Amino acid sequence: MLLIGLTGGIGAGKSAVAARLASHGATVVDSDRLAREVVAPGTEGLAEIVSAFGDGVLGADGALDRPALGARVFGDEEARRRLEGIIHPRVRQRSTALIAAAAPDAVVINDVPLLVEVGLAPTYHLVIVVDASEETRVQRLVRDRGMTPDQAYARIRAQVGDAERRAAADSLLRNDSSLDDLRTRVDALWHERLAPFEENVRLQRVPCPGASTSPEDYPRIAARLAHVLGTDSVSLDGGVVRVETDRAEALGPAGFPPLPDGRGHGSADPGRPARIAITGAGG
């Protein structure tokens, strides 16, 4: 299957992107929804949160009072990390189970708000970042979520910076215009890149076998290779990514099938060509 990471700052519109991709047949694993499920009434997650933060984070109905919990941890680094230590492992476990249950030819969209913050980008075949200006995002948060402008700015600025998020993007979707415009660009991404990428990985096919690696793409390709192969011996030499590894067989499923001429590997991603030369570790 093709595993896609989807992220974006609060108010950027990644939920709209996820919904549009789902309409094309993608399997969407929504980390926000899972984060709610793992602390639903009667769960161990909710019991652990109450133990950590007290009954004041519960509503009259016994469910988690999210605004009260948010006020409790916002601006308190230790409290935030304690909360993340309760929720994140449970969300990862549920995500892993849902991804494992997807069809072999699925395009799985893992919608993860903190994908960049927790360093998950190299674990995906491709990362989509939904981007919008701070002013646009504040307007949306005030209009759609009832925040004051000061609250919206505070929430935005508590997240990782836009530049760091963009640096992790294999595909950057700007969303400062209309919903129709966003959907048009998501449709193009699906038809021109994601669906062909999945087919290329499944068939172990390199669409641009003679293409070299762009220096702009290299940092993300190198991070992906280092994650998959468990090696830091990755370098770029004249448009060829050189890797020292004895695990070349892992490259195909990771999105880098063998080249037709048998001389290395290439990228299955039609939007990110690469040529990879393999040297046996230590030799």
Side-chain angles (χ1 to χ4, degrees):
M1 67 183 67
L2 191 70
L3 186 58
I4 307 295
L6 172 64
T7 194
I10 186 171
K14 66 181 179 57
S15 295
V17 172
R20 190 64 172 182
L21 291 170
S23 75
H24 286 291
T27 298
V28 176
V29 178
D30 184 340
S31 293
D32 273 343
R33 181 177 61 80
L34 296 181
R36 293 190 292 272
E37 290 180 2
V38 299
V39 294
T43 61
E44 293 181 359
L46 181 58
E48 193 169 341
I49 286 177
V50 172
S51 176
F53 299 103
D55 291 338
V57 299
L58 290 178
D61 59 356
L64 185 64
D65 185 335
R66 293 183 179 278
L69 179 60
R72 173 71 177 80
V73 303
F74 188 74
D76 184 333
E77 182 71 10
E78 183 178 350
R80 182 181 65 80
R81 290 188 180 279
R82 191 172 186 183
L83 177 62
E84 290 174 353
I86 296 170
I87 294 177
H88 288 182
R90 290 176 167 85
V91 171
R92 284 194 296 269
Q93 185 178 29
R94 287 283 294 126
S95 296
T96 299
L98 290 172
I99 292 168
D105 62 348
V107 175
V108 178
I109 309 296
N110 198 0
D111 182 345
V112 186
L114 300 179
L115 183 151
V116 175
E117 287 89 331
V118 297
L120 291 176
T123 67
Y124 298 98
H125 288 96
L126 181 145
V127 171
I128 301 169
V129 172
V130 188
D131 194 32
S133 70
E134 190 174 80
E135 293 75 17
T136 298
R137 293 160 64 192
V138 168
Q139 291 172 6
R140 289 172 181 160
L141 293 174
V142 170
R143 181 192 67 205
D144 301 334
R145 305 197 192 184
M147 295 184 188
T148 67
D150 285 345
Q151 289 172 331
Y153 278 113
R155 289 290 299 274
I156 289 170
R157 292 169 183 173
Q159 295 183 324
V160 70
D162 290 341
E164 188 175 352
R165 199 180 287 113
R166 290 168 189 154
D170 298 300
S171 176
L172 184 68
L173 288 173
R174 291 291 303 179
N175 184 28
D176 286 297
S177 186
S178 68
L179 181 58
D180 284 343
D181 180 64
L182 177 66
R183 287 172 172 166
T184 296
R185 283 181 285 116
V186 173
D187 292 348
L189 177 64
W190 176 268
H191 292 296
E192 297 170 12
R193 190 168 184 184
L194 301 188
F197 192 1
E198 183 283 318
E199 185 174 279
N200 289 341
V201 172
R202 178 162 37 89
L203 300 178
Q204 289 295 277
R205 182 171 60 197
V206 178
C208 304
S212 59
T213 306
S214 164
E216 181 180 332
D217 290 331
Y218 170 70
R220 294 186 302 279
I221 291 173
R224 172 73 171 157
L225 294 174
H227 169 75
V228 170
L229 301 174
T231 177
D232 292 325
S233 297
V234 184
S235 61
L236 183 63
D237 178 14
V240 177
V241 180
R242 301 194 180 278
V243 184
E244 291 184 15
T245 182
D246 290 326
R247 300 185 58 244
E249 71 283 352
L251 288 173
F256 303 100
L259 289 167
D261 62 8
R263 300 175 62 184
H265 291 246
S267 174
D269 180 356
R272 187 181 62 179
R275 189 175 183 97
I276 302 165
I278 305 298
T279 303

